[in-house]
């Protein structure tokens, strides 16, 4: 379906990747992974034709459709949500228009042959329209929108009323609805809550086409993909399996490479000692030159640089009392919308709490009230003995001084720490070498997030509150954050869409829905087990649409479509050879008729009669041609009548359904 051959791309004389080749077949589920800036999006843009590679080629099988979800989605449409999604399927709309035009032409046609041609064409177009889901398009669009977390009341809202994250979901809904052969998805889960992520994963597992995706969500990659393409610092690696299997295999490969590289270095060092020792001796000149040539031919084993696990001893926060915080009878509203009423919650020392629930349920509101940065109308927030809080939100990175260097930003909060120790901390957070001298202003979003977290943990409070700390972080950076939080000894309450982080850190889950909080003491997988019978990986809105759909008419439509498809297949199976024979006969008659015309022109030429043998031969050909035309015409009439009978029988059977 898609062939990438020897593709390379560089910027400012530095290669993002070089000589990349791979194939994508129908049904493939492939992850493209790598650190931020490694070229994943560039590779996608090359595949879709938006960027030209320096070398290599991209070949797409004829007729293959590609759908591409970019990270930076922009909308200028004035349509309503449901209308926008349905209208995105241009093929369905074109087919619907074609059906309408054919029906109008058929109503006006009077010639039987013309009617027969129009009927055949209409049957073909209607079949394609049905196969594309045309008769059920609006319901299918509603199902996809509900799966992605939209409410029925959203369906008639204008697109201009939705925020950026929801507009990304709109674009994703349009792609899923148009059903392309190849889905290329650039960070598709960035704006999806946990419930929607699980629905989306199930949808992709059953998707008919191929999926090429880049994502920093390790759980998503493990659940969806079957192949991994990793764009690394020194090479591009291909692996069959999901993300965890890739990591495990890669670690073993690195161990093997490291050992082989060490053996090779010892061998090279031994040869170099011999060369240096005997370089000046004439009696050893031949041996020395031989070994020099042998060293030149050795292909050095390269061990790619890897992200190291964090190794830094963070300062211990002061020990708090057993009860860290209590929320008592809290009421919180925004204008006329009540978010919480009579909310009661207690967190204890050592709790590592993940707040989960759909977007808009009130997770961030609760976290802000716990952090003491958001007032409420009623109730009490009571901090426990010796509790100090530190709240991280995305705006926190904006508090970094853009004029400071990376190391200077840490010196502000830790003036007594040595540069060596600060460099050690920054190295653990992937700031190495000259990186520590960069100004904050030139850092990427992910680098600023890492710096802000390092700064927070350098002087840690004993109660951390984190709102989406993984935003802008690639997989290596998320693993560093996980290591840092595992090493932290205080109490944590956090919100994230990264299920791997929840699995590895949380020992308590608070599920927030409809202004209510349900506390679950246990890890995330145990929580999901208790949710399975109730949630079944289906968002509540989608379940409601399914439950309220008129089941019997839908079943009847499905059954009718199945019978119609069987009748249509039977008709095509019987009619196809008859139609081929008719077409073949028509071609033969056309050829013979043309030859008769040529012969008749010869008959009108006086010079033709000068050669008696040729005249006799042409006369015989003329008689044979006319006889053949008569025989073929009789056969054509017989087959045409048979085709008409088959069509009438098909229409009668179809009408009796």
């Amino acid at each position: 379906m898609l062939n990438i051959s020897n593709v390379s791309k560089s910027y400012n004389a530095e290669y993002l990747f070089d000589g990349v080749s791979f194939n994508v077949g129908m049904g493939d589920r492939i992850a493209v992974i790598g650190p931020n800036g490694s070229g994943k999006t560039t590779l996608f843009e090359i595949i879709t034709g938006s960027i030209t590679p320096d070398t290599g080629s991209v070949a797409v099988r004829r007729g293959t459709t590609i759908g591409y979800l970019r990270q930076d989605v922009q909308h200028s449409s004035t349509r309503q949500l449901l209308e926008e999604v349905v209208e995105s399927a241009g093929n369905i709309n074109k087919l619907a228009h074609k059906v309408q035009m054919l029906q109008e032409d058929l109503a006006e046609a009077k010639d039987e042959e013309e009617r027969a041609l129009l009927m055949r064409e209409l049957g073909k177009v209607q079949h394609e329209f049905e196969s594309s889901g045309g008769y059920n398009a609006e319901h299918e669009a509603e199902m996809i929108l509900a799966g992605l977390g939209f409410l029925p009341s959203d369906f008639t809202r204008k697109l201009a009323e939705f925020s950026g994250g929801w507009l990304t979901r709109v674009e994703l809904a349009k792609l899923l609805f148009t059903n392309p052969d190849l889905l290329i998805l650039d960070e598709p889960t960035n704006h999806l809550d946990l419930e929607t992520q699980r629905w989306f994963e199930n949808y992709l597992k059953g998707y008919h086409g191929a999926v090429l995706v880049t994502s920093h969500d390790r759980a998503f990659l493990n659940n969806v993909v079957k192949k991994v393409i990793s764009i690394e610092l020194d090479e591009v690696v291909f692996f069959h399996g999901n993300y965890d299997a890739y990591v495990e295999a890669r670690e073993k490969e690195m161990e093997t490479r490291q050992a082989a590289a060490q053996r090779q270095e010892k061998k090279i060092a031994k040869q170099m000692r011999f060369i240096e020792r005997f370089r000046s001796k004439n009696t050893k000149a031949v041996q020395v030159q031989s070994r020099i040539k042998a060293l030149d031919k050795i292909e050095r084993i390269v061990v790619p640089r890897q992200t190291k696990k964090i190794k830094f001893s963070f300062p211990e926060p002061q020990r708090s009392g057993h009860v860290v915080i209590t929320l008592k009878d809290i009421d919180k509203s925004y204008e006329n919308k009540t978010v919480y009423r009579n909310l009661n919650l207690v967190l204890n020392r050592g709790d590592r709490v993940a707040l989960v629930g759909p977007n808009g349920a009130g997770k961030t509101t609760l976290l802000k009230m716990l952090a003491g940065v958001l007032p409420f109308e009623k109730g009490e927030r009571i901090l426990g003995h010796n509790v100090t809080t530190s709240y991280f939100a995305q705006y926190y990175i904006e508090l970094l001084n853009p004029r400071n260097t990376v190391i200077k930003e840490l010196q502000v909060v830790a003036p007594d720490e040595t540069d060596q120790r600060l460099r050690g901390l920054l190295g653990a957070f992937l700031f190495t070498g000259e990186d520590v001298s960069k100004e904050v202003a030139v850092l990427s979003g992910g680098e600023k997030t890492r710096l802000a977290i390092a700064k927070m943990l350098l002087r840690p409070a004993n109660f951390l509150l984190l709102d989406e700390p993984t935003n802008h972080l690639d997989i290596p950076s998320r693993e560093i954050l996980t290591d840092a939080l595992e090493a932290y000894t205080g109490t944590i309450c956090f919100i994230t869409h990264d299920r791997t982080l929840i699995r590895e850190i949380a020992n308590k889950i608070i599920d927030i829905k409809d202004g209510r909080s349900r506390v679950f003491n246990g890890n995330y997988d145990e929580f999901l087990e208790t949710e399975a019978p109730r949630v079944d990986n289906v968002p509540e809105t989608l379940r409601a649409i399914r439950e309220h759909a008129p089941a019997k008419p839908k079943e009847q439509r499905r059954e009718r479509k199945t019978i119609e498809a069987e009748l249509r297949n039977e008709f095509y199976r019987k009619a196809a050879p008859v139609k081929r024979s008719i077409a073949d006969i028509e071609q033969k008659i056309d050829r013979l008729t043309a030859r008769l015309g040529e012969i008749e022109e010869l008959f009108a030429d006086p010079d033709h009669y000068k050669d008696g043998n040729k005249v006799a031969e042409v006369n015989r050909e003329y008689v044979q041609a006319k006889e053949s035309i008569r025989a073929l015409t009789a056969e054509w009439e017989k087959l045409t009548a048979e085709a008409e009978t088959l069509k009438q029988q098909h229409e009668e059977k179809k009408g009796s359904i």
Side-chain angles (χ1 to χ4, degrees), residues 573-628:
R573 191 166 52 250
K574 292 179 179 179
V578 177
K579 291 179 180 179
R580 284 195 296 269
S581 297
I582 290 173
D584 185 49
I585 289 173
E586 288 172 346
Q587 289 178 357
K588 289 179 180 178
I589 291 175
D590 288 342
R591 286 197 297 270
L592 289 169
T593 302
R595 181 55 183 160
L596 285 178
E598 293 172 357
I599 293 174
E600 288 170 352
E601 287 181 5
L602 286 175
F603 288 164
D605 185 1
D607 293 336
H608 170 67
Y609 298 97
K610 293 178 180 179
D611 186 345
N613 291 332
K614 187 176 181 181
V615 170
E617 182 183 340
V618 170
N619 284 342
R620 282 195 300 271
E621 184 183 358
Y622 184 77
V623 172
Q624 289 173 356
K626 295 197 77 170
E627 289 177 354
S628 296

Coordinates of all heavy atoms in Angstrom, one line a residue, residues 573-628:
R573 N -23.3 -12.4 -10.5 CA -22.6 -13.6 -10.8 C -23.2 -14.2 -12.1 O -22.5 -14.8 -12.9 CB -22.7 -14.6 -9.7 CG -21.9 -15.8 -9.8 CD -21.8 -16.6 -8.4 NE -23.1 -16.8 -7.8 CZ -23.5 -16.2 -6.7 NH1 -22.8 -15.3 -6.1 NH2 -24.8 -16.5 -6.2
K574 N -24.5 -14.2 -12.3 CA -25.2 -14.7 -13.5 C -25.1 -13.8 -14.7 O -24.9 -14.2 -15.8 CB -26.7 -15.0 -13.2 CG -26.9 -16.1 -12.2 CD -28.4 -16.3 -11.9 CE -28.6 -17.5 -10.9 NZ -30.1 -17.7 -10.7
A575 N -25.2 -12.5 -14.4 CA -25.3 -11.5 -15.5 C -23.9 -11.2 -16.1 O -23.8 -10.9 -17.3 CB -26.0 -10.3 -15.1
A576 N -22.8 -11.3 -15.2 CA -21.5 -10.8 -15.7 C -21.0 -11.6 -16.9 O -20.6 -10.9 -17.9 CB -20.5 -11.0 -14.5
P577 N -21.1 -12.9 -17.0 CA -20.6 -13.6 -18.2 C -21.5 -13.3 -19.4 O -21.0 -13.2 -20.5 CB -20.7 -15.1 -17.8 CG -21.6 -15.2 -16.6 CD -21.5 -13.9 -15.9
V578 N -22.8 -13.1 -19.2 CA -23.7 -12.7 -20.3 C -23.3 -11.4 -20.9 O -23.2 -11.2 -22.1 CB -25.1 -12.7 -19.9 CG1 -26.1 -12.3 -21.0 CG2 -25.6 -14.1 -19.4
K579 N -23.0 -10.4 -19.9 CA -22.6 -9.1 -20.4 C -21.3 -9.1 -21.1 O -21.1 -8.4 -22.1 CB -22.6 -8.1 -19.1 CG -23.9 -7.8 -18.5 CD -23.8 -6.9 -17.3 CE -25.1 -6.6 -16.7 NZ -25.0 -5.7 -15.5
R580 N -20.4 -9.9 -20.6 CA -19.1 -10.0 -21.2 C -19.2 -10.6 -22.7 O -18.6 -10.1 -23.6 CB -18.1 -10.9 -20.4 CG -17.5 -10.2 -19.2 CD -16.3 -10.9 -18.6 NE -16.7 -12.3 -18.2 CZ -17.1 -12.6 -16.9 NH1 -17.2 -11.6 -16.0 NH2 -17.4 -13.8 -16.6
S581 N -20.1 -11.6 -22.8 CA -20.3 -12.2 -24.1 C -20.9 -11.1 -25.1 O -20.6 -11.0 -26.3 CB -21.2 -13.4 -24.0 OG -20.6 -14.4 -23.3
I582 N -21.9 -10.4 -24.5 CA -22.6 -9.3 -25.4 C -21.5 -8.3 -25.8 O -21.5 -7.9 -27.0 CB -23.7 -8.6 -24.6 CG1 -24.9 -9.6 -24.4 CG2 -24.2 -7.4 -25.3 CD1 -25.9 -9.1 -23.4
A583 N -20.7 -7.9 -24.9 CA -19.7 -6.9 -25.2 C -18.7 -7.4 -26.3 O -18.3 -6.7 -27.2 CB -18.9 -6.4 -24.0
D584 N -18.3 -8.7 -26.1 CA -17.4 -9.3 -27.0 C -18.0 -9.4 -28.4 O -17.3 -9.1 -29.5 CB -17.0 -10.7 -26.5 CG -16.0 -11.4 -27.4 OD1 -15.0 -10.8 -27.7 OD2 -16.2 -12.6 -27.8
I585 N -19.3 -9.8 -28.5 CA -20.0 -9.9 -29.8 C -20.1 -8.5 -30.4 O -19.9 -8.3 -31.7 CB -21.4 -10.5 -29.6 CG1 -21.2 -12.0 -29.3 CG2 -22.3 -10.3 -30.8 CD1 -22.5 -12.7 -28.9
E586 N -20.4 -7.5 -29.6 CA -20.5 -6.1 -30.2 C -19.2 -5.7 -30.8 O -19.2 -5.0 -31.9 CB -20.9 -5.2 -29.1 CG -22.4 -5.3 -28.7 CD -22.8 -4.5 -27.5 OE1 -21.9 -4.0 -26.8 OE2 -24.0 -4.4 -27.2
Q587 N -18.1 -6.0 -30.1 CA -16.8 -5.7 -30.7 C -16.5 -6.4 -32.0 O -16.0 -5.8 -33.0 CB -15.6 -6.0 -29.7 CG -15.6 -5.1 -28.5 CD -14.5 -5.5 -27.5 OE1 -13.8 -6.5 -27.7 NE2 -14.4 -4.7 -26.4
K588 N -16.9 -7.7 -32.1 CA -16.7 -8.4 -33.3 C -17.6 -7.9 -34.5 O -17.1 -7.7 -35.6 CB -17.0 -9.9 -33.1 CG -16.0 -10.6 -32.2 CD -16.5 -12.1 -32.0 CE -15.5 -12.8 -31.1 NZ -15.9 -14.2 -30.9
I589 N -18.8 -7.5 -34.2 CA -19.7 -7.0 -35.2 C -19.1 -5.6 -35.7 O -19.2 -5.4 -36.9 CB -21.1 -6.8 -34.6 CG1 -21.8 -8.2 -34.4 CG2 -22.0 -5.9 -35.5 CD1 -23.1 -8.1 -33.7
D590 N -18.6 -4.8 -34.7 CA -18.0 -3.5 -35.1 C -16.9 -3.7 -36.1 O -16.7 -3.0 -37.1 CB -17.6 -2.7 -33.9 CG -18.8 -2.2 -33.1 OD1 -19.9 -2.2 -33.6 OD2 -18.5 -1.8 -31.9
R591 N -16.0 -4.7 -35.7 CA -14.8 -5.0 -36.6 C -15.3 -5.5 -38.0 O -14.7 -5.0 -39.0 CB -13.9 -6.0 -36.0 CG -13.1 -5.4 -34.8 CD -11.9 -6.3 -34.4 NE -12.4 -7.7 -34.0 CZ -12.6 -8.0 -32.8 NH1 -12.5 -7.1 -31.8 NH2 -13.0 -9.2 -32.5
L592 N -16.2 -6.4 -38.0 CA -16.7 -6.9 -39.3 C -17.4 -5.9 -40.1 O -17.3 -5.8 -41.4 CB -17.6 -8.1 -39.1 CG -17.0 -9.4 -38.6 CD1 -18.0 -10.4 -38.1 CD2 -16.1 -10.0 -39.7
T593 N -18.2 -5.0 -39.5 CA -18.9 -4.0 -40.2 C -17.9 -3.0 -40.8 O -18.1 -2.5 -41.9 CB -19.8 -3.2 -39.2 OG1 -20.8 -4.1 -38.6 CG2 -20.6 -2.1 -39.9
A594 N -16.9 -2.7 -40.0 CA -15.8 -1.8 -40.6 C -15.1 -2.4 -41.8 O -14.9 -1.8 -42.8 CB -14.8 -1.5 -39.5
R595 N -14.9 -3.8 -41.7 CA -14.3 -4.4 -42.8 C -15.2 -4.5 -44.1 O -14.7 -4.3 -45.2 CB -13.9 -5.9 -42.4 CG -13.2 -6.7 -43.5 CD -12.0 -6.0 -44.1 NE -11.3 -6.7 -45.1 CZ -10.5 -6.2 -46.0 NH1 -10.2 -4.9 -46.0 NH2 -10.0 -6.9 -47.0
L596 N -16.5 -4.6 -43.9 CA -17.4 -4.6 -45.0 C -17.4 -3.2 -45.7 O -17.4 -3.2 -46.9 CB -18.9 -4.9 -44.5 CG -19.2 -6.3 -44.1 CD1 -20.7 -6.4 -43.6 CD2 -19.0 -7.2 -45.3
G597 N -17.3 -2.2 -44.9 CA -17.2 -0.9 -45.5 C -15.9 -0.7 -46.3 O -16.0 -0.1 -47.4
E598 N -14.8 -1.3 -45.8 CA -13.5 -1.2 -46.6 C -13.7 -2.0 -47.9 O -13.2 -1.6 -49.0 CB -12.4 -1.8 -45.8 CG -12.0 -1.0 -44.6 CD -11.0 -1.7 -43.7 OE1 -10.6 -2.8 -44.0 OE2 -10.6 -1.1 -42.7
I599 N -14.3 -3.2 -47.9 CA -14.5 -4.0 -49.1 C -15.4 -3.3 -50.1 O -15.2 -3.3 -51.3 CB -15.1 -5.4 -48.7 CG1 -14.0 -6.2 -47.9 CG2 -15.5 -6.2 -49.9 CD1 -14.5 -7.5 -47.3
E600 N -16.5 -2.7 -49.6 CA -17.4 -2.0 -50.5 C -16.7 -0.8 -51.2 O -17.0 -0.5 -52.3 CB -18.6 -1.5 -49.7 CG -19.5 -2.6 -49.3 CD -20.6 -2.2 -48.3 OE1 -20.5 -1.1 -47.8 OE2 -21.5 -3.0 -48.0
E601 N -15.7 -0.2 -50.5 CA -14.9 0.8 -51.2 C -14.1 0.3 -52.3 O -13.9 0.9 -53.3 CB -14.0 1.6 -50.1 CG -14.8 2.5 -49.2 CD -13.9 3.2 -48.2 OE1 -12.6 3.0 -48.3 OE2 -14.4 3.9 -47.3
L602 N -13.6 -1.0 -52.0 CA -12.8 -1.7 -53.1 C -13.7 -2.0 -54.3 O -13.2 -1.9 -55.5 CB -12.2 -3.0 -52.5 CG -11.0 -2.9 -51.6 CD1 -10.6 -4.2 -51.0 CD2 -9.8 -2.2 -52.3
F603 N -14.9 -2.4 -54.0 CA -15.8 -2.7 -55.1 C -16.1 -1.5 -56.0 O -16.3 -1.6 -57.2 CB -17.2 -3.2 -54.6 CG -17.1 -4.6 -54.0 CD1 -18.1 -5.1 -53.2 CD2 -16.0 -5.4 -54.3 CE1 -18.1 -6.4 -52.7 CE2 -16.0 -6.7 -53.8 CZ -17.0 -7.2 -53.0
A604 N -15.9 -0.3 -55.5 CA -16.2 0.9 -56.2 C -14.9 1.4 -57.0 O -15.0 2.4 -57.8 CB -16.7 2.0 -55.3
D605 N -13.8 0.7 -56.8 CA -12.6 1.1 -57.4 C -12.3 0.3 -58.7 O -12.2 -1.0 -58.6 CB -11.4 0.9 -56.4 CG -10.1 1.4 -57.0 OD1 -10.1 1.9 -58.1 OD2 -9.1 1.3 -56.3
P606 N -12.2 0.8 -59.9 CA -12.0 0.1 -61.1 C -10.7 -0.7 -61.1 O -10.7 -1.8 -61.7 CB -12.0 1.2 -62.2 CG -12.7 2.3 -61.6 CD -12.5 2.3 -60.2
D607 N -9.7 -0.2 -60.5 CA -8.4 -0.9 -60.5 C -8.5 -2.2 -59.7 O -7.7 -3.1 -59.9 CB -7.3 0.0 -59.8 CG -7.0 1.2 -60.7 OD1 -7.2 1.1 -61.9 OD2 -6.5 2.2 -60.1
H608 N -9.5 -2.3 -58.8 CA -9.6 -3.6 -58.0 C -9.8 -4.8 -58.9 O -9.4 -5.9 -58.6 CB -10.8 -3.4 -57.0 CG -11.2 -4.6 -56.3 ND1 -10.4 -5.3 -55.4 CD2 -12.4 -5.4 -56.5 CE1 -11.0 -6.4 -55.0 NE2 -12.2 -6.4 -55.6
Y609 N -10.5 -4.6 -60.0 CA -10.9 -5.7 -60.9 C -9.8 -6.2 -61.8 O -9.9 -7.1 -62.6 CB -12.1 -5.4 -61.7 CG -13.3 -5.1 -60.8 CD1 -13.6 -3.8 -60.4 CD2 -14.1 -6.1 -60.3 CE1 -14.7 -3.5 -59.6 CE2 -15.1 -5.8 -59.4 CZ -15.4 -4.6 -59.1 OH -16.5 -4.3 -58.2
K610 N -8.6 -5.6 -61.8 CA -7.5 -6.0 -62.6 C -6.9 -7.3 -62.2 O -6.3 -8.1 -63.1 CB -6.4 -4.9 -62.6 CG -6.8 -3.6 -63.2 CD -5.7 -2.6 -63.1 CE -6.1 -1.2 -63.7 NZ -5.0 -0.2 -63.6
D611 N -7.0 -7.7 -60.9 CA -6.5 -9.0 -60.4 C -7.6 -9.9 -60.1 O -8.3 -9.7 -59.1 CB -5.6 -8.7 -59.2 CG -4.9 -10.0 -58.7 OD1 -5.3 -11.1 -59.1 OD2 -3.9 -9.8 -57.9
G612 N -7.9 -10.9 -61.0 CA -9.0 -11.8 -60.8 C -9.0 -12.6 -59.5 O -10.0 -12.8 -58.8
N613 N -7.8 -13.1 -59.2 CA -7.6 -13.9 -57.9 C -8.0 -13.1 -56.7 O -8.7 -13.6 -55.8 CB -6.2 -14.4 -57.8 CG -5.9 -15.5 -58.9 OD1 -6.8 -16.2 -59.3 ND2 -4.6 -15.6 -59.2
K614 N -7.5 -11.8 -56.7 CA -7.8 -11.0 -55.5 C -9.3 -10.6 -55.4 O -9.8 -10.6 -54.4 CB -7.0 -9.7 -55.6 CG -7.1 -8.8 -54.4 CD -6.2 -7.6 -54.5 CE -6.2 -6.7 -53.3 NZ -5.4 -5.5 -53.4
V615 N -9.9 -10.5 -56.6 CA -11.3 -10.2 -56.6 C -12.1 -11.3 -56.0 O -13.0 -11.1 -55.2 CB -11.8 -9.9 -58.0 CG1 -13.4 -9.8 -58.1 CG2 -11.2 -8.6 -58.6
A616 N -11.8 -12.5 -56.4 CA -12.4 -13.7 -55.9 C -12.3 -13.9 -54.4 O -13.2 -14.2 -53.6 CB -11.9 -15.0 -56.6
E617 N -11.0 -13.6 -53.9 CA -10.7 -13.7 -52.5 C -11.5 -12.7 -51.6 O -12.1 -13.0 -50.6 CB -9.2 -13.5 -52.2 CG -8.8 -13.6 -50.8 CD -7.3 -13.4 -50.6 OE1 -6.5 -13.4 -51.6 OE2 -6.9 -13.1 -49.5
V618 N -11.6 -11.5 -52.2 CA -12.3 -10.4 -51.5 C -13.8 -10.7 -51.4 O -14.5 -10.5 -50.4 CB -12.0 -9.0 -52.1 CG1 -13.0 -8.0 -51.5 CG2 -10.6 -8.6 -51.9
N619 N -14.3 -11.3 -52.5 CA -15.7 -11.6 -52.6 C -16.1 -12.7 -51.5 O -17.1 -12.6 -50.9 CB -16.1 -12.1 -54.0 CG -16.2 -11.0 -55.0 OD1 -16.4 -9.8 -54.6 ND2 -16.2 -11.3 -56.3
R620 N -15.2 -13.7 -51.4 CA -15.4 -14.7 -50.4 C -15.4 -14.1 -49.0 O -16.3 -14.4 -48.1 CB -14.4 -15.8 -50.5 CG -14.6 -16.8 -51.6 CD -13.7 -18.0 -51.5 NE -12.3 -17.7 -51.5 CZ -11.6 -17.6 -52.6 NH1 -12.1 -17.8 -53.8 NH2 -10.3 -17.3 -52.5
E621 N -14.5 -13.2 -48.7 CA -14.4 -12.5 -47.4 C -15.6 -11.7 -47.1 O -16.1 -11.7 -46.0 CB -13.1 -11.6 -47.4 CG -12.9 -11.0 -46.0 CD -11.7 -10.0 -46.0 OE1 -11.0 -9.9 -47.0 OE2 -11.5 -9.4 -44.9
Y622 N -16.2 -11.1 -48.2 CA -17.3 -10.2 -48.0 C -18.6 -11.1 -47.7 O -19.3 -10.7 -46.7 CB -17.6 -9.5 -49.4 CG -18.8 -8.5 -49.3 CD1 -18.6 -7.3 -48.7 CD2 -20.0 -8.8 -49.9 CE1 -19.7 -6.4 -48.6 CE2 -21.1 -7.9 -49.8 CZ -20.9 -6.7 -49.2 OH -21.9 -5.8 -49.1
V623 N -18.7 -12.2 -48.3 CA -19.8 -13.1 -48.1 C -19.7 -13.7 -46.6 O -20.7 -13.7 -45.9 CB -19.9 -14.2 -49.1 CG1 -21.0 -15.3 -48.7 CG2 -20.3 -13.7 -50.5
Q624 N -18.5 -14.1 -46.3 CA -18.3 -14.7 -44.9 C -18.6 -13.6 -43.8 O -19.1 -13.9 -42.8 CB -16.9 -15.2 -44.8 CG -16.6 -16.4 -45.6 CD -15.1 -16.9 -45.6 OE1 -14.3 -16.2 -45.1 NE2 -14.8 -18.0 -46.3
A625 N -18.1 -12.4 -44.1 CA -18.3 -11.4 -43.1 C -19.8 -11.1 -42.9 O -20.3 -10.9 -41.7 CB -17.6 -10.1 -43.5
K626 N -20.6 -11.0 -43.9 CA -22.0 -10.8 -43.8 C -22.7 -11.9 -43.1 O -23.6 -11.7 -42.2 CB -22.7 -10.6 -45.2 CG -22.2 -9.3 -45.9 CD -23.1 -8.9 -47.0 CE -24.3 -8.2 -46.5 NZ -25.1 -7.6 -47.5
E627 N -22.3 -13.2 -43.4 CA -22.9 -14.3 -42.7 C -22.5 -14.3 -41.2 O -23.3 -14.6 -40.3 CB -22.4 -15.6 -43.3 CG -22.9 -15.9 -44.7 CD -22.4 -17.1 -45.3 OE1 -21.5 -17.7 -44.7 OE2 -22.9 -17.5 -46.4
S628 N -21.2 -13.9 -40.9 CA -20.8 -13.8 -39.5 C -21.6 -12.8 -38.8 O -22.0 -13.0 -37.6 CB -19.3 -13.5 -39.4 OG -18.6 -14.6 -40.0

